[in-house]
Amino acid sequence: MKCDGVTDDSAALQAALTSAAYPGLGNATIIMPPGTCIIDPGASVRISASIWLQGAGKFGTTLKRKNSSTGTPMLLLSSDGITLSVFGFDGNKGGTGIASPSDSVTADHALGKVTIQRMRFANSTNSDVASYVTGAGNFPTDWLITDSDFDNQGNPFSDCAISFACANLFIQQPLRLRIIGNRSDSSQNFAFFRSYPGGGQVDVGENIVTNIEGFGIALGGGVLGSSGVHIHDNFIVSNSTEQDNLVDLAFWTDFTVDHNFLHYTGGFPSSIGLPTGCIGDAPPANHGEVDANTCYLSPILSTNVVGISLGGNDISRSEEH
């Protein structure tokens, strides 16, 4: 890999990934050089084995989307046990000839034991990290996403906050997912999930999310069935055009939401005509506890804003501010 900011490094990276997947090597690690490494989404660069891919630091190694490129995500994950650490992605939003959305990282089927740590994601034109596979048995399982930075995510062609179709983390039907200690700024959605029977046991905590346009944490639609989520100690502040709940519990059961600081700054009315605010559920979520959260509201007059609006059954609320 040249990583000189000019050379297309897609084939070189794929050659390294393919070589490291040789069965006789065991679980190999690829260490990328420092610099800006140009990646063409159309090259379909793919990790097909339990490989650890790392760089020379969050700002030391950057995989940047090629100008005038189209196609699949910059990096496809196709194996359990993959780790990504200490490098960055630049989706090149606003770059020369960028006229279609592309994810930075996408899992092409339901994978287990994926770790994303100490990473930097910037300027994505769709999702930063995504798993779109749905249906019976398709659970991204035992993922850890921690100590990573997300900046300026958002589809410029179809706003994620309106389409509900992309986010920093767009992971459908998660099972035993942990999103801990990350930072997001100026993105359209932070964490967006989907409910399905058998999914759940999700932990989202200690994240700092600022200038979010849409959802901060949305458990998502789908169907009833996902159970078990702890949303705690997050700091979430919307920007002035926010129109979705900062925490949305739709369809999930057995939830605990505690010790979050949520600042809703107002903006446009909900596109579906419902109240929006700090914590809500539409459709209703059942059997949970909401405790010791701080909700700060500064709405404009045209917006139907509430602090906490929960319509499900068997819900306990206490010590809210």
Side-chain angles (χ1 to χ4, degrees):
M1 298 175 69
K2 299 292 186 182
C3 296
D4 57 8
V6 177
T7 304
D8 186 338
D9 287 306
S10 306
L13 176 56
Q14 185 62 75
L17 293 169
T18 301
S19 177
Y22 182 72
L25 293 177
N27 293 331
T29 299
I30 293 176
I31 302 175
M32 297 180 291
T36 299
C37 318
I38 302 300
I39 301 296
D40 185 354
S44 300
V45 177
R46 181 186 303 267
I47 302 180
S48 300
S50 300
I51 286 171
W52 190 321
L53 179 63
Q54 71 179 65
K58 288 181 181 180
F59 294 91
T61 301
T62 299
L63 305 187
K64 183 176 182 179
R65 180 180 174 179
K66 186 177 181 178
N67 287 335
S68 303
S69 60
T70 61
T72 57
M74 294 174 65
L75 184 63
L76 283 162
L77 307 185
S78 299
S79 173
D80 297 335
I82 293 170
T83 295
L84 308 178
S85 68
V86 291
F87 66 97
F89 283 88
D90 184 344
N92 200 13
K93 180 161 56 177
T96 303
I98 299 299
S100 64
S102 177
D103 296 334
S104 296
V105 177
T106 297
D108 65 359
H109 59 281
L111 303 180
K113 300 187 182 304
V114 171
T115 299
I116 297 172
Q117 59 186 13
R118 301 191 301 281
M119 294 285 292
R120 179 177 61 89
F121 295 84
N123 308 316
S124 172
T125 54
N126 209 54
S127 293
D128 290 305
V129 178
S131 176
Y132 300 110
V133 183
T134 59
N138 290 321
F139 300 109
T141 305
D142 294 315
W143 285 34
L144 171 63
I145 302 171
T146 185
D147 194 20
S148 294
D149 300 334
F150 302 87
D151 184 58
N152 193 32
Q153 171 273 336
N155 187 329
F157 315 106
S158 178
D159 193 315
C160 305
I162 297 173
S163 67
F164 305 161
C166 47
N168 293 139
L169 307 170
F170 195 87
I171 302 171
Q172 304 206 52
Q173 300 185 189
L175 176 63
R176 298 193 300 274
L177 168 68
R178 290 181 293 156
I179 299 174
I180 305 295
N182 303 285
R183 292 156 295 280
S184 171
D185 184 64
S186 300
S187 294
Q188 290 178 353
N189 293 313
F190 173 56
F192 207 113
F193 311 131
R194 177 185 172 94
S195 172
Y196 196 85
Q201 306 307 314
V202 168
D203 186 3
V204 185
E206 302 175 28
N207 302 286
I208 299 173
V209 180
T210 52
N211 297 308
I212 196 73
E213 180 181 339
F215 289 103
I217 301 165
L219 302 188
V223 297
L224 290 170
S226 287
S227 175
V229 61
H230 189 193
I231 299 172
H232 61 96
D233 300 289
N234 298 287
F235 179 91
I236 305 176
V237 180
S238 66
N239 66 24
S240 59
T241 60
E242 197 276 329
Q243 62 176 347
D244 301 310
N245 294 322
L246 298 185
V247 174
D248 194 291
L249 305 171
F251 270 138
W252 285 47
T253 61
D254 297 303
F255 57 85
T256 301
V257 183
D258 67 280
H259 296 92
N260 300 283
F261 181 91
L262 310 170
H263 185 172
Y264 182 96
T265 61
F268 297 117
S270 165
S271 60
I272 56 176
L274 293 176
T276 56
C278 290
I279 302 173
D281 62 343
N286 299 311
H287 189 60
E289 180 179 354
V290 179
D291 178 51
N293 300 284
T294 298
C295 172
Y296 184 84
L297 299 173
S298 54
I300 62 175
L301 295 177
S302 63
T303 309
N304 186 6
V305 177
V306 296
I308 299 174
S309 177
L310 299 172
N313 299 314
D314 192 19
I315 298 173
S316 170
R317 289 175 50 185
S318 61
E319 295 187 26
E320 308 300 337
H321 303 283

PDB file of all heavy atoms in Angstrom, residues 70-96:
ATOM      1  N   THR A  70     -18.226   4.800  -7.203  1.00  0.00           N
ATOM      2  CA  THR A  70     -19.534   4.256  -6.837  1.00  0.00           C
ATOM      3  C   THR A  70     -19.327   2.804  -6.431  1.00  0.00           C
ATOM      4  O   THR A  70     -18.246   2.244  -6.601  1.00  0.00           O
ATOM      5  CB  THR A  70     -20.516   4.320  -8.019  1.00  0.00           C
ATOM      6  OG1 THR A  70     -19.994   3.540  -9.107  1.00  0.00           O
ATOM      7  CG2 THR A  70     -20.736   5.750  -8.483  1.00  0.00           C
ATOM      8  N   GLY A  71     -20.382   2.186  -5.909  1.00  0.00           N
ATOM      9  CA  GLY A  71     -20.291   0.758  -5.630  1.00  0.00           C
ATOM     10  C   GLY A  71     -20.560   0.412  -4.192  1.00  0.00           C
ATOM     11  O   GLY A  71     -21.224   1.149  -3.462  1.00  0.00           O
ATOM     12  N   THR A  72     -20.045  -0.705  -3.786  1.00  0.00           N
ATOM     13  CA  THR A  72     -20.301  -1.285  -2.475  1.00  0.00           C
ATOM     14  C   THR A  72     -19.561  -0.504  -1.394  1.00  0.00           C
ATOM     15  O   THR A  72     -18.817   0.431  -1.688  1.00  0.00           O
ATOM     16  CB  THR A  72     -19.830  -2.745  -2.478  1.00  0.00           C
ATOM     17  OG1 THR A  72     -18.446  -2.779  -2.839  1.00  0.00           O
ATOM     18  CG2 THR A  72     -20.627  -3.581  -3.470  1.00  0.00           C
ATOM     19  N   PRO A  73     -19.715  -0.867  -0.130  1.00  0.00           N
ATOM     20  CA  PRO A  73     -18.986  -0.160   0.941  1.00  0.00           C
ATOM     21  C   PRO A  73     -17.474  -0.201   0.747  1.00  0.00           C
ATOM     22  O   PRO A  73     -16.937  -1.041   0.021  1.00  0.00           O
ATOM     23  CB  PRO A  73     -19.413  -0.917   2.196  1.00  0.00           C
ATOM     24  CG  PRO A  73     -20.731  -1.518   1.842  1.00  0.00           C
ATOM     25  CD  PRO A  73     -20.643  -1.862   0.393  1.00  0.00           C
ATOM     26  N   MET A  74     -16.787   0.685   1.430  1.00  0.00           N
ATOM     27  CA  MET A  74     -15.335   0.722   1.334  1.00  0.00           C
ATOM     28  C   MET A  74     -14.705  -0.559   1.838  1.00  0.00           C
ATOM     29  O   MET A  74     -13.685  -1.010   1.318  1.00  0.00           O
ATOM     30  CB  MET A  74     -14.791   1.913   2.111  1.00  0.00           C
ATOM     31  CG  MET A  74     -15.199   3.257   1.528  1.00  0.00           C
ATOM     32  SD  MET A  74     -14.691   4.639   2.577  1.00  0.00           S
ATOM     33  CE  MET A  74     -12.909   4.510   2.492  1.00  0.00           C
ATOM     34  N   LEU A  75     -15.306  -1.170   2.887  1.00  0.00           N
ATOM     35  CA  LEU A  75     -14.775  -2.413   3.446  1.00  0.00           C
ATOM     36  C   LEU A  75     -15.930  -3.331   3.816  1.00  0.00           C
ATOM     37  O   LEU A  75     -16.827  -2.939   4.571  1.00  0.00           O
ATOM     38  CB  LEU A  75     -13.923  -2.118   4.676  1.00  0.00           C
ATOM     39  CG  LEU A  75     -13.209  -3.302   5.324  1.00  0.00           C
ATOM     40  CD1 LEU A  75     -12.192  -3.908   4.354  1.00  0.00           C
ATOM     41  CD2 LEU A  75     -12.508  -2.872   6.607  1.00  0.00           C
ATOM     42  N   LEU A  76     -15.910  -4.541   3.267  1.00  0.00           N
ATOM     43  CA  LEU A  76     -16.931  -5.546   3.555  1.00  0.00           C
ATOM     44  C   LEU A  76     -16.387  -6.551   4.571  1.00  0.00           C
ATOM     45  O   LEU A  76     -15.261  -7.048   4.424  1.00  0.00           O
ATOM     46  CB  LEU A  76     -17.327  -6.290   2.279  1.00  0.00           C
ATOM     47  CG  LEU A  76     -18.255  -5.550   1.319  1.00  0.00           C
ATOM     48  CD1 LEU A  76     -18.206  -6.192  -0.066  1.00  0.00           C
ATOM     49  CD2 LEU A  76     -19.683  -5.559   1.849  1.00  0.00           C
ATOM     50  N   LEU A  77     -17.189  -6.865   5.589  1.00  0.00           N
ATOM     51  CA  LEU A  77     -16.826  -7.881   6.570  1.00  0.00           C
ATOM     52  C   LEU A  77     -17.599  -9.146   6.265  1.00  0.00           C
ATOM     53  O   LEU A  77     -18.835  -9.125   6.185  1.00  0.00           O
ATOM     54  CB  LEU A  77     -17.145  -7.397   7.986  1.00  0.00           C
ATOM     55  CG  LEU A  77     -16.589  -6.035   8.407  1.00  0.00           C
ATOM     56  CD1 LEU A  77     -16.910  -5.768   9.881  1.00  0.00           C
ATOM     57  CD2 LEU A  77     -15.098  -5.926   8.146  1.00  0.00           C
ATOM     58  N   SER A  78     -16.872 -10.274   6.116  1.00  0.00           N
ATOM     59  CA  SER A  78     -17.507 -11.535   5.721  1.00  0.00           C
ATOM     60  C   SER A  78     -17.085 -12.703   6.592  1.00  0.00           C
ATOM     61  O   SER A  78     -17.158 -13.855   6.168  1.00  0.00           O
ATOM     62  CB  SER A  78     -17.182 -11.852   4.250  1.00  0.00           C
ATOM     63  OG  SER A  78     -17.667 -10.860   3.393  1.00  0.00           O
ATOM     64  N   SER A  79     -16.620 -12.419   7.821  1.00  0.00           N
ATOM     65  CA  SER A  79     -16.182 -13.494   8.701  1.00  0.00           C
ATOM     66  C   SER A  79     -16.430 -13.111  10.151  1.00  0.00           C
ATOM     67  O   SER A  79     -16.388 -11.916  10.503  1.00  0.00           O
ATOM     68  CB  SER A  79     -14.688 -13.772   8.496  1.00  0.00           C
ATOM     69  OG  SER A  79     -14.196 -14.700   9.455  1.00  0.00           O
ATOM     70  N   ASP A  80     -16.667 -14.096  10.990  1.00  0.00           N
ATOM     71  CA  ASP A  80     -16.693 -13.870  12.430  1.00  0.00           C
ATOM     72  C   ASP A  80     -15.278 -13.517  12.918  1.00  0.00           C
ATOM     73  O   ASP A  80     -14.274 -13.809  12.261  1.00  0.00           O
ATOM     74  CB  ASP A  80     -17.156 -15.130  13.169  1.00  0.00           C
ATOM     75  CG  ASP A  80     -18.576 -15.540  12.813  1.00  0.00           C
ATOM     76  OD1 ASP A  80     -19.364 -14.666  12.397  1.00  0.00           O
ATOM     77  OD2 ASP A  80     -18.888 -16.744  12.949  1.00  0.00           O
ATOM     78  N   GLY A  81     -15.205 -12.891  14.087  1.00  0.00           N
ATOM     79  CA  GLY A  81     -13.924 -12.701  14.748  1.00  0.00           C
ATOM     80  C   GLY A  81     -13.024 -11.638  14.158  1.00  0.00           C
ATOM     81  O   GLY A  81     -11.802 -11.682  14.362  1.00  0.00           O
ATOM     82  N   ILE A  82     -13.576 -10.661  13.462  1.00  0.00           N
ATOM     83  CA  ILE A  82     -12.775  -9.586  12.874  1.00  0.00           C
ATOM     84  C   ILE A  82     -12.588  -8.458  13.891  1.00  0.00           C
ATOM     85  O   ILE A  82     -13.513  -8.105  14.618  1.00  0.00           O
ATOM     86  CB  ILE A  82     -13.446  -9.040  11.599  1.00  0.00           C
ATOM     87  CG1 ILE A  82     -13.450 -10.112  10.497  1.00  0.00           C
ATOM     88  CG2 ILE A  82     -12.763  -7.769  11.107  1.00  0.00           C
ATOM     89  CD1 ILE A  82     -14.289  -9.744   9.295  1.00  0.00           C
ATOM     90  N   THR A  83     -11.386  -7.878  13.915  1.00  0.00           N
ATOM     91  CA  THR A  83     -11.104  -6.699  14.742  1.00  0.00           C
ATOM     92  C   THR A  83     -10.548  -5.591  13.852  1.00  0.00           C
ATOM     93  O   THR A  83      -9.645  -5.822  13.051  1.00  0.00           O
ATOM     94  CB  THR A  83     -10.090  -7.019  15.852  1.00  0.00           C
ATOM     95  OG1 THR A  83     -10.657  -7.960  16.760  1.00  0.00           O
ATOM     96  CG2 THR A  83      -9.722  -5.759  16.628  1.00  0.00           C
ATOM     97  N   LEU A  84     -11.094  -4.382  14.013  1.00  0.00           N
ATOM     98  CA  LEU A  84     -10.573  -3.181  13.362  1.00  0.00           C
ATOM     99  C   LEU A  84     -10.107  -2.234  14.458  1.00  0.00           C
ATOM    100  O   LEU A  84     -10.846  -1.968  15.409  1.00  0.00           O
ATOM    101  CB  LEU A  84     -11.651  -2.493  12.519  1.00  0.00           C
ATOM    102  CG  LEU A  84     -12.416  -3.333  11.494  1.00  0.00           C
ATOM    103  CD1 LEU A  84     -13.465  -2.477  10.788  1.00  0.00           C
ATOM    104  CD2 LEU A  84     -11.469  -3.969  10.484  1.00  0.00           C
ATOM    105  N   SER A  85      -8.900  -1.692  14.336  1.00  0.00           N
ATOM    106  CA  SER A  85      -8.433  -0.791  15.395  1.00  0.00           C
ATOM    107  C   SER A  85      -7.408   0.200  14.867  1.00  0.00           C
ATOM    108  O   SER A  85      -6.681  -0.049  13.911  1.00  0.00           O
ATOM    109  CB  SER A  85      -7.833  -1.586  16.565  1.00  0.00           C
ATOM    110  OG  SER A  85      -6.631  -2.222  16.188  1.00  0.00           O
ATOM    111  N   VAL A  86      -7.369   1.345  15.504  1.00  0.00           N
ATOM    112  CA  VAL A  86      -6.404   2.437  15.359  1.00  0.00           C
ATOM    113  C   VAL A  86      -6.127   2.848  13.912  1.00  0.00           C
ATOM    114  O   VAL A  86      -4.974   2.960  13.495  1.00  0.00           O
ATOM    115  CB  VAL A  86      -5.088   2.162  16.129  1.00  0.00           C
ATOM    116  CG1 VAL A  86      -5.331   2.212  17.620  1.00  0.00           C
ATOM    117  CG2 VAL A  86      -4.449   0.847  15.747  1.00  0.00           C
ATOM    118  N   PHE A  87      -7.185   3.088  13.158  1.00  0.00           N
ATOM    119  CA  PHE A  87      -7.064   3.776  11.877  1.00  0.00           C
ATOM    120  C   PHE A  87      -8.376   4.490  11.601  1.00  0.00           C
ATOM    121  O   PHE A  87      -9.309   4.446  12.414  1.00  0.00           O
ATOM    122  CB  PHE A  87      -6.666   2.836  10.732  1.00  0.00           C
ATOM    123  CG  PHE A  87      -7.675   1.788  10.346  1.00  0.00           C
ATOM    124  CD1 PHE A  87      -8.544   1.988   9.286  1.00  0.00           C
ATOM    125  CD2 PHE A  87      -7.738   0.574  11.029  1.00  0.00           C
ATOM    126  CE1 PHE A  87      -9.449   1.013   8.909  1.00  0.00           C
ATOM    127  CE2 PHE A  87      -8.638  -0.408  10.656  1.00  0.00           C
ATOM    128  CZ  PHE A  87      -9.508  -0.189   9.597  1.00  0.00           C
ATOM    129  N   GLY A  88      -8.460   5.195  10.489  1.00  0.00           N
ATOM    130  CA  GLY A  88      -9.638   5.994  10.201  1.00  0.00           C
ATOM    131  C   GLY A  88     -10.218   5.706   8.833  1.00  0.00           C
ATOM    132  O   GLY A  88      -9.558   5.145   7.948  1.00  0.00           O
ATOM    133  N   PHE A  89     -11.496   6.094   8.670  1.00  0.00           N
ATOM    134  CA  PHE A  89     -12.155   6.091   7.375  1.00  0.00           C
ATOM    135  C   PHE A  89     -12.561   7.522   7.046  1.00  0.00           C
ATOM    136  O   PHE A  89     -13.044   8.259   7.911  1.00  0.00           O
ATOM    137  CB  PHE A  89     -13.426   5.224   7.396  1.00  0.00           C
ATOM    138  CG  PHE A  89     -13.178   3.748   7.336  1.00  0.00           C
ATOM    139  CD1 PHE A  89     -12.981   3.016   8.494  1.00  0.00           C
ATOM    140  CD2 PHE A  89     -13.152   3.086   6.117  1.00  0.00           C
ATOM    141  CE1 PHE A  89     -12.765   1.651   8.445  1.00  0.00           C
ATOM    142  CE2 PHE A  89     -12.926   1.726   6.056  1.00  0.00           C
ATOM    143  CZ  PHE A  89     -12.737   0.998   7.223  1.00  0.00           C
ATOM    144  N   ASP A  90     -12.410   7.908   5.801  1.00  0.00           N
ATOM    145  CA  ASP A  90     -12.904   9.189   5.309  1.00  0.00           C
ATOM    146  C   ASP A  90     -13.797   8.904   4.108  1.00  0.00           C
ATOM    147  O   ASP A  90     -13.314   8.497   3.040  1.00  0.00           O
ATOM    148  CB  ASP A  90     -11.728  10.095   4.915  1.00  0.00           C
ATOM    149  CG  ASP A  90     -12.173  11.491   4.487  1.00  0.00           C
ATOM    150  OD1 ASP A  90     -13.370  11.690   4.197  1.00  0.00           O
ATOM    151  OD2 ASP A  90     -11.312  12.386   4.425  1.00  0.00           O
ATOM    152  N   GLY A  91     -15.109   9.109   4.279  1.00  0.00           N
ATOM    153  CA  GLY A  91     -16.063   8.832   3.209  1.00  0.00           C
ATOM    154  C   GLY A  91     -16.051   9.844   2.081  1.00  0.00           C
ATOM    155  O   GLY A  91     -16.784   9.686   1.104  1.00  0.00           O
ATOM    156  N   ASN A  92     -15.241  10.916   2.203  1.00  0.00           N
ATOM    157  CA  ASN A  92     -15.037  11.876   1.116  1.00  0.00           C
ATOM    158  C   ASN A  92     -16.332  12.579   0.712  1.00  0.00           C
ATOM    159  O   ASN A  92     -16.520  12.909  -0.457  1.00  0.00           O
ATOM    160  CB  ASN A  92     -14.394  11.176  -0.086  1.00  0.00           C
ATOM    161  CG  ASN A  92     -13.710  12.146  -1.055  1.00  0.00           C
ATOM    162  OD1 ASN A  92     -13.488  13.314  -0.734  1.00  0.00           O
ATOM    163  ND2 ASN A  92     -13.392  11.650  -2.238  1.00  0.00           N
ATOM    164  N   LYS A  93     -17.224  12.809   1.685  1.00  0.00           N
ATOM    165  CA  LYS A  93     -18.461  13.527   1.385  1.00  0.00           C
ATOM    166  C   LYS A  93     -18.131  14.920   0.869  1.00  0.00           C
ATOM    167  O   LYS A  93     -17.351  15.652   1.478  1.00  0.00           O
ATOM    168  CB  LYS A  93     -19.345  13.608   2.635  1.00  0.00           C
ATOM    169  CG  LYS A  93     -20.658  14.339   2.407  1.00  0.00           C
ATOM    170  CD  LYS A  93     -21.692  14.021   3.467  1.00  0.00           C
ATOM    171  CE  LYS A  93     -21.222  14.304   4.871  1.00  0.00           C
ATOM    172  NZ  LYS A  93     -22.290  14.056   5.863  1.00  0.00           N
ATOM    173  N   GLY A  94     -18.717  15.278  -0.253  1.00  0.00           N
ATOM    174  CA  GLY A  94     -18.413  16.554  -0.872  1.00  0.00           C
ATOM    175  C   GLY A  94     -17.186  16.533  -1.761  1.00  0.00           C
ATOM    176  O   GLY A  94     -16.831  17.558  -2.359  1.00  0.00           O
ATOM    177  N   GLY A  95     -16.549  15.367  -1.869  1.00  0.00           N
ATOM    178  CA  GLY A  95     -15.357  15.268  -2.703  1.00  0.00           C
ATOM    179  C   GLY A  95     -15.694  15.258  -4.188  1.00  0.00           C
ATOM    180  O   GLY A  95     -16.853  15.116  -4.596  1.00  0.00           O
ATOM    181  N   THR A  96     -14.681  15.333  -5.007  1.00  0.00           N
ATOM    182  CA  THR A  96     -14.847  15.401  -6.458  1.00  0.00           C
ATOM    183  C   THR A  96     -15.585  14.169  -6.988  1.00  0.00           C
ATOM    184  O   THR A  96     -15.156  13.036  -6.779  1.00  0.00           O
ATOM    185  CB  THR A  96     -13.478  15.511  -7.146  1.00  0.00           C
ATOM    186  OG1 THR A  96     -12.794  16.657  -6.637  1.00  0.00           O
ATOM    187  CG2 THR A  96     -13.630  15.621  -8.657  1.00  0.00           C
TER     188      THR A  96
END
